């Protein structure tokens, strides 16, 4: 017998030895919640700030200006962007912009001072941003290796809670949930921001998109 | 779906004895006895568990539907176990469809061999690792080392443990037993090229780990991970983490090998909406952990281009075959039960001897690896490593009734262990309790125990065969007067009458609390002896102070030094 047959046989034997009645999952927790724009924004910003992410809110027409200010303030002279990012977002930036390509070895992304990406979905209640590898977000390595991540979030993509956000995801896409900059609590349970992922996370929220 | 099941079901085997990290060298009381002497350890643990308890309560109280999420989480896991054969096959099919390869391992030995072979096939002699309970359980690192493959742990706490040649002592924060000074010393001794002036500020220690591991992330071609969830419906695997080391390992290498216990499968993608709320709030006390990665097979141009999933049994089916014990398989490894446990908080994780310490470890370990009566197995002591206070059950996000599981395992252990002194004593006690006269006499005889009590009214050492009881605890001296004697006395009768009258005066009061204790009755010692009431056996007793309530130790958590 193969290991597969053996293990599956054992599982069936176990269930025959200790049968249990069928279970219906009670899904009485909160789902399908909506919140007015203002409340959703306030909640999302509060949560992001709690994780010590830097938050910038603006209208779409000012986004390029805000992003340029952020990059300047962080001293980022060389930034990476995914191929599908609206280049208008970098119109105000005077540094070097490098478009990513999956043929570039990931370690070379370490040369970048930062990266600017879009996002797929966000969750207000937990301050979580979901990246799913779409053209405006790029491959996972791009938003991981550089030390600064500037992430553009449209308020319309911000869901109220976790069930509402998960419902908007495409399961087969490589998905990364980001809640603030990387952190650890491994030393005496004291939270320290900034370990292996980007140590700085700037979130630019476009309130009218 | 075809079934190969024919004839009588056979009980599945436990994890093979002597393999992996599911058994310590000593029984819990002996190990705990030594650990308890380590004041540094107790200070570190006390501080850390206190902090995390507070955080967890804050963020769980924030959700009005927390209890409903727990109900859903519990039901999803039970449903999963009921449908495990079909869900595992569905997961296998979906992972394969998306370009992954699925392997099955009967036990840890087989899983170690599979991973070793897969690493060798890549030509690499080193791997980077994401913190994983399953690979710790099977002793993968030790096995890889023996085959000439170096495994680098990349989680900060696992790195601390690895560099110190130590063992993890907590599911979530494996180096919880170390404080910042100790960690600085470990780093200065073991990280090549580390700044000799490195201080003990946690941010600086984390930065040292970042610098050390950066090069490994950028150059190592193979990663090994565990999995928090594997979604049958879509073939999606998930790792929940904080530091970004998980993302690095899951993204940068060419080959990814994931070792997942078969109980980690979830039926639907939608189920993540429950567990992504339950897990972070229960484990780190955060609304959400900084990073969660989800991947489905292989994505061209993004992440590892070769993906292997190793599905591990290693005693899980043996646990599944236990009607009561199988609930331990519902565990999502959040570690909330460790942080609220008065026993864990004091003894620490090493005393349990297993990869899985604390309350859940005390039920999971014996089920995965067994309690071998013939071998005087250290695991047989784990179900007793609890006061049964129930804090773990209250904290568990999937509502595992750990105290009931512990009691069931104690029962199984007693059944297995044949005739023991304890069994004989229990039989004798049953005979005595059946006969009121004998019982009263025995109680009176026990009253003689007062002479061996210290001035504080506690007995620290009983003579054999009762010594086992006082090895790990003091007992209060027997009272001068038993409750039965007090109730039969004139004073007891008067008290009962008064309480009944009071109850009758209050309409609507159901009078359920009638009796002593309610109004703080305290019979002071040294009062004149009284004759007990009529109809009794005429025993002459002295009233003593009534038995005090002994707390299980939870509510004095700030009482010890630290």
């Amino acid at each position: 017998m193969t290991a597969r047959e053996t293990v599956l046989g054992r599982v069936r034997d176990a269930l025959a030895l200790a049968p249990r009645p069928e279970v219906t999952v009670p899904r009485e927790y909160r789902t399908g919640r909506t919140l007015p724009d203002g409340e959703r924004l306030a909640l999302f910003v509060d949560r992001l700030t709690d994780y010590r992410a830097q938050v910038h809110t603006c209208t779409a027409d000012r986004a390029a200006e805000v992003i340029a200010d952020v990059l300047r303030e962080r001293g980022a002279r060389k930034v990476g962007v995914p191929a599908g990012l609206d280049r208008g977002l970098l119109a105000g930036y005077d540094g070097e912009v490098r478009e990513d390509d999956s043929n570039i070895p990931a370690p070379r992304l370490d040369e970048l001072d930062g990266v600017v990406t879009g996002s797929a979905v966000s969750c207000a209640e937990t301050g979580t941003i979901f990246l799913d590898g779409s053209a405006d977000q790029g491959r996972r390595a791009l938003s991981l290796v550089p030390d600064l991540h500037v992430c553009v979030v449209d308020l319309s993509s911000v869901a109220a809670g976790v069930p509402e956000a998960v419902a908007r995801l495409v399961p087969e896409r490589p998905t990364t949930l980001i809640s603030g900059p990387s952190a650890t609590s491994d030393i005496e349970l004291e939270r320290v921001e900034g370990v292996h992922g980007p140590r700085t996370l700037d979130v630019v929220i476009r309130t009218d998109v | 779906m075809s079934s190969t099941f024919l004839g009588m079901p056979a009980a599945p085997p436990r994890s093979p004895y002597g393999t992996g990290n599911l058994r310590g060298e000593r029984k819990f009381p002996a190990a705990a006895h030594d650990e308890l002497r380590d004041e540094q350890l107790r200070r570190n643990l006390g501080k850390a568990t206190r902090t995390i308890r507070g955080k967890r309560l804050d963020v769980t109280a924030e959700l009005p539907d927390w209890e409903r999420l727990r109900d859903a989480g519990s039901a999803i896991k039970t449903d999963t176990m009921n449908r495990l054969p079909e869900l595992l096959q569905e997961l296998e099919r979906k992972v394969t469809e998306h370009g992954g390869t699925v392997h099955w391992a009967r036990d840890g030995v087989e899983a170690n061999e599979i991973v070793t072979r897969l690493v060798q096939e890549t030509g690499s002699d080193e791997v980077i690792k994401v913190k994983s309970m399953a690979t710790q359980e099977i002793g993968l690192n030790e096995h890889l080392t023996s085959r000439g493959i170096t495994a680098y742990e990349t989680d900060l706490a696992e790195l601390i443990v690895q560099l110190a040649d130590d063992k993890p002592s907590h599911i979530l924060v494996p180096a919880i037993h170390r404080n910042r000074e100790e960690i600085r010393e470990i780093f200065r001794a073991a990280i090549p090229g580390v700044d000799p002036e490195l201080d003990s500020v946690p941010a600086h220690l984390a930065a040292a780990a970042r610098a050390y591991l950066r090069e490994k992330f950028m150059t190592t071609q193979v990663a090994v991970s565990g999995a928090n969830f594997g979604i049958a419906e879509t073939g999606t695997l998930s790792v929940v983490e904080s530091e970004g080391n998980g993302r690095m390992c899951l993204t940068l290498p060419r080959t990814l090998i994931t070792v997942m216990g078969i109980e980690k499968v979830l039926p639907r993608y939608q189920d993540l909406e429950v567990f992504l709320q339950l897990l972070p709030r229960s484990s780190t006390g955060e609304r959400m952990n900084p990073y969660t990665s989800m991947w489905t097979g292989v994505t061209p141009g993004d992440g590892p281009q070769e993906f292997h999933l190793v599905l591990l049994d290693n005693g899980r089916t043996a646990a599944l075959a236990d009607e009561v014990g199988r609930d331990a398989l519902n565990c999502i490894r959040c570690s909330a039960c460790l942080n609220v446990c008065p026993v864990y908080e004091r003894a620490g994780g090493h005393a349990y001897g297993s990869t899985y310490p604390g309350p859940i470890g005390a039920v999971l370990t014996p089920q995965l690896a067994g309690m071998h009566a013939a071998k005087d197995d250290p695991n047989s002591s784990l179900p007793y490593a609890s006061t049964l206070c129930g804090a773990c059950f209250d904290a568990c996000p999937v509502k595992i009734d750990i105290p009931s599981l512990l009691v069931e395992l104690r029962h199984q252990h007693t059944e297995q262990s044949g005739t023991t002194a304890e069994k004989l004593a229990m039989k004798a006690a049953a005979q005595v309790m059946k006969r009121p006269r004998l019982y009263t006499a025995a109680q009176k005889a026990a009253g003689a125990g007062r002479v061996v009590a210290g001035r504080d009214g506690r007995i620290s050492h009983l003579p054999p065969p009762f010594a086992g009881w006082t090895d790990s605890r003091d007992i209060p001296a027997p009272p001068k007067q038993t409750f039965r004697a007090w109730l039969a006395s004139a004073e007891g009768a008067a008290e009962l009458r008064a309480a009944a009258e009071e109850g009758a005066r209050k309409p609507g009061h159901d009078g359920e609390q009638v009796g002593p204790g309610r109004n703080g009755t305290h019979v002071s010692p040294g009062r004149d002896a009284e004759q007990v009431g009529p109809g009794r056996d005429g025993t002459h007793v002295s009233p003593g102070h009534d038995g005090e309530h002994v707390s299980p130790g939870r509510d004095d958590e700030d009482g010890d030094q630290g």
Side-chain angles (χ1 to χ4, degrees):
Chain A
M1 276 217 286
T2 64
R4 179 182 188 278
E5 287 162 0
T6 303
V7 173
L8 283 171
R10 287 177 186 174
V11 176
R12 291 193 191 99
D13 279 1
L15 293 176
L17 288 166
R20 281 279 188 90
E22 247 178 66
V23 179
T24 311
V25 177
R27 294 190 192 265
E28 282 148 26
Y29 50 87
R30 297 170 302 160
T31 52
R33 276 178 292 163
T34 54
L35 283 175
D37 278 1
E39 278 178 50
R40 228 166 58 249
L41 178 64
L43 185 61
F44 186 45
V45 171
D46 176 74
R47 300 316 198 217
L48 284 169
T49 312
D50 190 45
Y51 298 133
R52 290 178 217 167
Q54 303 298 311
V55 186
H56 318 267
T57 52
C58 62
T59 49
D61 58 331
R62 285 202 54 241
E65 195 185 320
V66 169
I67 290 167
D69 285 348
V70 168
L71 292 173
R72 193 174 312 117
E73 207 176 293
R74 303 274 177 222
R77 297 307 307 150
K78 212 186 301 176
V79 302
V81 293
L85 187 82
D86 170 12
R87 293 299 277 271
L89 288 170
L90 287 145
Y93 176 59
D94 58 3
E96 183 188 340
V97 178
R98 285 197 195 171
E99 189 174 293
D100 187 40
D101 183 307
S102 62
N103 292 322
I104 298 171
R108 289 204 50 203
L109 297 170
D110 220 6
E111 297 164 10
L112 300 170
D113 297 323
V115 56
V116 181
T117 75
S119 58
V121 180
S122 290
C123 167
E125 191 170 66
T126 61
T128 305
I129 300 167
F130 296 67
L131 305 184
D132 73 356
S134 295
D136 65 334
Q137 297 150 49
R139 59 178 169 151
R140 285 170 285 173
L142 178 65
S143 48
L144 172 64
V145 177
D147 208 8
L148 164 69
H149 182 191
V150 179
C151 189
V152 180
V153 174
D154 296 337
L155 184 56
S156 60
S157 72
V158 181
V162 173
E164 296 80 6
V166 169
R168 296 193 196 183
L169 298 175
V170 182
E172 290 74 19
R173 304 195 73 96
T175 305
T176 306
L177 282 65
I178 298 173
S179 306
S182 72
T184 183
S185 302
D186 279 350
I187 302 169
E188 298 181 13
L189 266 297
E190 190 174 296
R191 188 176 159 106
V192 175
E193 273 86 14
V195 196
H196 303 296
R199 285 182 284 193
T200 310
L201 174 67
D202 278 283
V203 183
V204 178
I205 306 171
R206 297 195 289 188
T207 53
D208 56 346
V209 183
Chain B
M1 183 187 332
S2 68
S3 171
T4 51
F5 169 64
L6 294 164
M8 291 293 287
R14 311 267 178 200
S15 169
Y17 205 100
T19 65
N21 294 313
L22 286 172
R23 182 171 280 106
E25 282 159 18
R26 295 187 296 168
K27 292 194 172 178
F28 183 84
H33 190 260
D34 288 353
E35 298 289 320
L36 283 168
R37 287 191 180 154
D38 184 344
E39 289 182 20
Q40 184 68 60
L41 172 76
R42 293 186 65 179
R43 268 196 295 275
N44 296 351
L45 273 174
K47 183 175 175 224
T49 52
R50 240 187 330 270
T51 308
I52 202 159
R53 279 200 298 269
K55 284 168 73 181
R56 188 185 70 85
L57 286 177
D58 286 346
V59 295
T60 55
E62 210 176 80
L63 294 187
D65 55 350
W66 181 250
E67 291 304 317
R68 281 168 276 162
L69 286 165
R70 287 178 78 206
D71 287 335
S74 173
I76 291 169
K77 293 302 281 192
T78 303
D79 179 44
T80 300
M81 298 312 152
N82 283 351
R83 301 197 283 128
L84 204 50
E86 63 176 90
L87 293 175
L88 288 171
Q89 290 173 88
E90 194 183 356
L91 176 70
E92 177 187 44
R93 193 164 55 244
K94 289 291 175 181
V95 169
T96 309
E97 270 173 30
H98 287 93
T101 308
V102 177
H103 310 260
W104 300 71
R106 298 174 184 94
D107 52 39
V109 175
E110 190 167 23
N112 286 336
E113 282 164 5
I114 292 169
V115 175
T116 304
R117 176 170 54 76
L118 292 172
V119 176
Q120 284 166 343
E121 281 170 11
T122 67
S124 177
D125 60 359
E126 49 183 22
V127 300
I128 43 178
K129 280 193 71 203
V130 191
K131 178 177 161 352
S132 138
M133 300 307 294
T135 60
Q136 179 66 33
E137 168 192 326
I138 62 177
L140 177 65
N141 289 7
E142 296 90 317
H143 184 82
L144 289 174
T145 305
S146 75
R147 295 293 185 275
I149 298 166
T150 310
Y152 295 98
E153 290 290 350
T154 63
D155 170 76
L156 179 53
E158 290 285 4
L159 176 68
I160 294 164
V161 167
Q162 189 180 41
L163 291 178
D165 201 16
D166 197 354
K167 290 207 163 202
S169 70
H170 191 280
I171 289 175
L172 178 75
V173 258
I176 196 170
H177 56 290
R178 299 285 193 179
N179 68 16
R180 58 186 73 187
E181 292 299 333
E182 296 172 284
I183 294 165
R184 172 176 68 158
E185 289 315 313
I186 292 166
F187 278 13
R188 288 211 293 206
I191 293 185
V194 78
D195 176 7
E197 301 297 307
L198 178 67
D199 61 26
S200 60
V201 176
H204 299 162
L205 296 170
R210 176 185 165 101
Y212 170 62
L213 289 173
R214 195 87 184 161
E215 185 254 331
K216 307 272 179 245
F217 288 137
M218 298 300 156
T219 56
T220 309
Q221 286 305 301
V222 186
V224 176
S225 85
N228 290 94
F229 313 108
I231 311 294
E233 178 189 34
T234 58
T236 307
L237 275 297
S238 176
V239 164
V240 171
E241 52 128 358
S242 294
E243 296 167 10
N245 64 306
R247 289 177 72 189
M248 291 280 179
C249 292
L250 300 169
T251 307
L252 301 185
R254 236 191 59 75
T255 301
L256 171 62
I257 304 165
T258 299
V259 181
M260 181 182 110
I262 53 172
E263 84 284 18
K264 293 276 167 232
V265 66
L266 287 177
R268 294 153 293 255
Y269 193 78
Q270 190 203 352
D271 296 330
L272 288 170
E273 72 187 19
V274 175
F275 292 101
L276 288 178
Q277 297 193 74
L278 289 175
L279 180 54
R281 289 181 198 254
S282 299
S283 60
T284 51
E286 292 168 302
R287 296 187 178 102
M288 191 66 89
N289 50 291
Y291 298 136
T292 296
S293 295
M294 306 199 280
W295 71 97
T296 307
V298 169
T299 307
D302 187 351
Q305 295 302 296
E306 200 182 321
F307 171 56
H308 297 275
L309 175 64
V310 182
L311 294 172
L312 175 71
D313 179 355
N314 204 36
R316 284 160 177 78
T317 49
L320 190 66
D322 187 310
E323 227 168 310
V324 180
R326 63 188 278 193
D327 277 357
L329 294 175
N330 292 1
C331 173
I332 58 172
R333 314 280 188 264
C334 73
S335 72
C337 62
L338 277 61
N339 302 328
V340 299
C341 177
V343 175
Y344 175 87
E345 181 179 0
R346 286 162 180 79
H350 291 157
Y352 296 79
S354 161
T355 294
Y356 305 105
I360 190 64
V363 293
L364 192 58
T365 302
Q367 293 207 84
L368 295 178
M371 301 182 283
H372 295 261
K375 295 180 177 164
D376 199 25
D377 188 351
N379 281 351
S380 64
S381 65
L382 293 180
Y384 301 91
S386 168
T387 64
L388 301 180
C389 76
C392 47
F393 185 19
D394 290 343
C396 178
V398 290
K399 292 185 140 176
I400 300 170
D401 183 357
I402 296 174
S404 293
L405 267 65
L406 288 164
V407 171
E408 167 65 17
L409 286 170
R410 291 179 188 188
H411 169 73
Q412 290 179 11
H413 172 240
T414 310
E415 291 292 303
Q416 281 173 17
S417 34
T419 305
T420 61
E422 190 184 6
K423 251 189 196 170
L424 290 173
M426 287 297 167
K427 268 197 180 140
Q431 289 306 313
V432 171
M433 284 175 167
K434 277 186 203 161
R435 297 171 174 78
R437 248 168 211 283
L438 210 52
Y439 185 53
T440 306
Q443 283 190 320
K444 193 185 167 198
R450 293 177 66 79
V451 302
V452 299
R455 294 176 78 109
D456 57 356
R458 295 194 168 272
I459 301 172
S460 301
H461 299 288
L462 280 173
F466 307 110
W469 181 264
T470 48
D471 275 353
S472 49
R473 54 175 95 59
D474 293 344
I475 57 168
K480 282 183 184 164
Q481 186 189 34
T482 66
F483 174 74
R484 277 158 38 102
W486 177 86
L487 192 65
S489 72
E491 187 186 336
E495 183 76 21
L496 204 62
R497 221 171 17 252
E501 281 163 14
E502 194 186 328
R505 275 199 304 276
K506 287 183 192 161
H509 185 269
D510 56 11
E512 65 189 359
Q513 286 186 314
V514 171
R518 172 164 151 262
N519 49 7
T521 311
H522 186 89
V523 184
S524 56
R527 283 179 58 175
D528 289 338
E530 290 174 36
Q531 196 75 30
V532 293
R536 291 290 168 176
D537 52 9
T539 314
H540 199 76
V541 291
S542 307
H545 82 280
D546 43 16
E548 60 184 279
H549 175 70
V550 183
S551 82
R554 278 179 69 201
D555 46 5
D556 67 349
E557 63 192 27
D558 294 310
D560 56 312
Q561 56 175 331

